[in-house]
Amino acid sequence: MTFHVLTLFPDMIKEVAGTSILGRALLNGSISLDVINIRDFSTKGSKRVDGYPYGGGAGMVMEAEPVFNAVELAKSRAGENAKVVYLTPAAPVLNQLKVEELSKSDDLILLCGHYEGIDDRVLEEVVDENISIGDYVLTGGELGALVVIDAVSRYVPGVLHNSESSDVESLKDNLLEYPQYTRPEVWHGQAVPQVLLTGDHAKIEAFRHEQSLERTRQRRPDLLEKSHRVNVVWFGSEELEATAVALKEKFSLYGEIFNYNRSKLKNAKKRFGSSDFVVFITDEPDKAETALIKLSAHGSKAVAITPCVSEPDSSFFEEKGFEVIKRCCLEVMKDQKGCEETIFEIKKMIEQA
Ligand SMILES: C[S@@+](CC[C@H](N)C(=O)[O-])C[C@H]1O[C@@H](n2cnc3c(N)ncnc32)[C@H](O)[C@@H]1O
């Protein structure tokens, strides 16, 4: 992936991006950096690119023409369709889902403002998306661009080593990560929680989930409101199990997988609640209705994945109390690209749900 950064302070970008994990990724070629100095497009001998604001007011405004020409150069390298992102406090705040979305492009053009910002006419003409990195005002967009580069790069294959990459981190499931500990076992009189020393994975996972919930409750209750437990319910041929497991891992750390081929599940009453999000997957839709007979829900949102040929009829699930927000073709989910795109679309729906 290539990041094209348009800035008045190229060294600031090169210096930070050349350090640590990003520096290594630049060296091994997983990511590339194309830093364009907007000053090189100054229309004045003085190399200045700013002017006084029309209508008066404090500070200077960056002129349209140098910015336009810098974007043109970036596009000539990145391709006409590359997205132009302007870093600005006057925008929706970046979050993990947006980071994941941005990581799907091959090129990203990041435009950094300075002074009082940029002449709005050029922004109207060239910018595809405005992104803020937080509800505060910085002196320039460079730190914002670096935040985007850093967060997006973590999704680019080859940037993180296995030991650095983690599916278990803050914001998966809209929860903050549980506390982490390392040696020594006792530090300043504080012992690490006993359960972490037991080697009992089920207990450890339950403990960590509880800690994640508690931390999110205390520090980010707004996230908790948007947090859904994602469960995968599957029924049908054995080969479907691998798809069900992969789906659950992509969606959620703490959700559960329910295999409705098991008679124990078929015969027991199960009711999902409004904080549950359920992904149904079956390759035998005709028989699934009988297998899921004891399953019900109270306002749970759901996605149903069935073979393309089956009738797109959601009434079966809706009668059970689910709100089906999407129906997908099983065949599409078996294709890697189709599956990734669909999962991302569903993640967005879950966030908005
Ligand atoms: C001093 S700010 C200009 C602020 C502008 N007058 C306003 O109120 O929207 C200069 C530049 O810093 C960048 N910037 C400032 N705060 C930012 C934020 N929270 N996120 C992303 N970029 C930011 C933008 O590129 C902006 O053009």
Side-chain angles (χ1 to χ4, degrees):
M1 176 163 195
T2 303
F3 299 96
H4 307 262
V5 188
L6 316 186
T7 170
L8 292 176
F9 299 93
D11 290 347
M12 198 169 163
I13 301 291
K14 289 181 192 161
E15 190 70 31
V16 178
T19 310
S20 183
I21 293 175
L22 289 183
R24 187 184 66 201
L26 283 169
L27 281 179
N28 74 21
S30 316
I31 58 168
S32 342
L33 197 56
D34 170 30
V35 186
I36 295 174
N37 190 342
I38 300 172
R39 216 179 287 283
D40 290 344
F41 300 90
S42 166
T43 51
K44 301 165 184 155
S46 61
K47 289 270 177 196
R48 285 195 73 129
V49 292
D50 57 339
Y52 293 103
Y54 276 115
M60 303 295 273
V61 176
M62 286 169 68
E63 293 168 352
E65 190 63 12
V67 171
F68 180 77
N69 288 327
V71 171
E72 288 284 282
L73 177 65
K75 287 220 158 180
S76 73
R77 294 174 180 168
E80 262 317 297
N81 293 331
K83 188 180 251 189
V84 178
V85 172
Y86 176 45
L87 282 310
T88 167
V93 176
L94 185 67
N95 64 15
Q96 195 66 15
L97 202 61
K98 177 56 71 181
V99 167
E100 193 177 342
E101 184 184 317
L102 295 175
S103 74
K104 296 184 189 302
S105 343
D106 291 331
D107 290 87
L108 210 52
I109 300 175
L110 301 169
L111 173 59
C112 308
H114 228 86
Y115 316 120
E116 277 316 303
I118 299 177
D119 188 314
D120 214 65
R121 292 168 294 183
V122 67
L123 297 177
E124 279 293 318
E125 204 163 310
V126 303
V127 172
D128 299 300
E129 183 154 4
N130 294 292
I131 291 181
S132 163
I133 61 155
D135 290 334
Y136 39 76
V137 180
L138 302 162
T139 55
E142 288 71 18
L143 289 172
L146 286 162
V147 165
V148 171
I149 295 170
D150 190 289
V152 168
S153 294
R154 300 181 80 253
Y155 281 94
V156 177
V159 170
L160 297 184
H161 289 162
N162 275 349
S163 59
E164 292 157 353
S165 97
S166 173
D167 271 350
V168 189
E169 59 192 357
S170 288
L171 302 171
K172 189 145 187 180
D173 295 295
N174 257 331
L175 293 178
L176 303 184
E177 194 187 50
Y178 46 78
Q180 300 266 26
Y181 307 92
T182 185
R183 275 133 193 87
E185 204 177 304
V186 179
W187 181 81
H188 280 201
Q190 296 183 71
V192 301
Q194 194 57 31
V195 62
L196 300 179
L197 310 177
T198 61
D200 182 332
H201 291 297
K203 273 194 188 152
I204 292 174
E205 196 174 308
F207 170 78
R208 286 177 162 169
H209 188 199
E210 190 39 55
Q211 293 284 308
S212 269
L213 285 165
E214 188 49 34
R215 183 163 273 194
T216 315
R217 207 172 283 132
Q218 281 175 8
R219 299 184 184 178
R220 291 291 305 274
D222 57 311
L223 279 184
L224 208 54
E225 275 169 29
K226 289 192 281 174
S227 170
H228 286 81
R229 193 179 161 88
V230 182
N231 305 280
V232 176
V233 169
W234 74 279
F235 171 78
S237 69
E238 270 179 27
E239 68 176 50
L240 209 56
E241 179 155 29
T243 315
V245 171
L247 276 174
K248 172 358 216 127
E249 307 235 294
K250 291 240 186 288
F251 278 122
S252 168
L253 190 61
Y254 298 113
E256 269 185 79
I257 301 179
F258 296 88
N259 173 357
Y260 266 81
N261 292 304
R262 297 210 179 118
S263 39
K264 199 174 160 196
L265 271 182
K266 280 186 204 163
N267 298 328
K269 276 193 180 167
K270 169 79 192 160
R271 191 170 167 84
F272 288 109
S274 56
S275 62
D276 285 303
F277 188 93
V278 182
V279 180
F280 289 104
I281 176 161
T282 183
D283 52 5
E284 294 177 10
D286 299 342
K287 294 187 198 157
E289 296 203 5
T290 319
L292 301 174
I293 200 110
K294 296 219 165 164
L295 184 68
S296 65
H298 183 69
S300 321
K301 299 235 178 351
V303 169
I305 304 171
T306 54
C308 299
V309 287
S310 64
E311 280 291 299
D313 176 12
S314 303
S315 56
F316 166 69
F317 295 112
E318 269 150 23
E319 276 160 21
K320 287 184 158 299
F322 290 100
E323 185 194 332
V324 178
I325 60 166
K326 188 170 173 65
R327 293 198 57 112
C328 312
C329 270
L330 182 58
E331 287 76 358
V332 173
M333 298 306 273
K334 284 185 174 166
D335 165 72
Q336 199 191 338
K337 191 162 178 279
C339 180
E340 276 173 18
E341 281 171 7
T342 312
I343 285 176
F344 188 71
E345 206 183 312
I346 298 171
K347 275 190 188 174
K348 271 186 164 173
M349 286 176 158
I350 296 174
E351 183 168 275
Q352 284 153 13

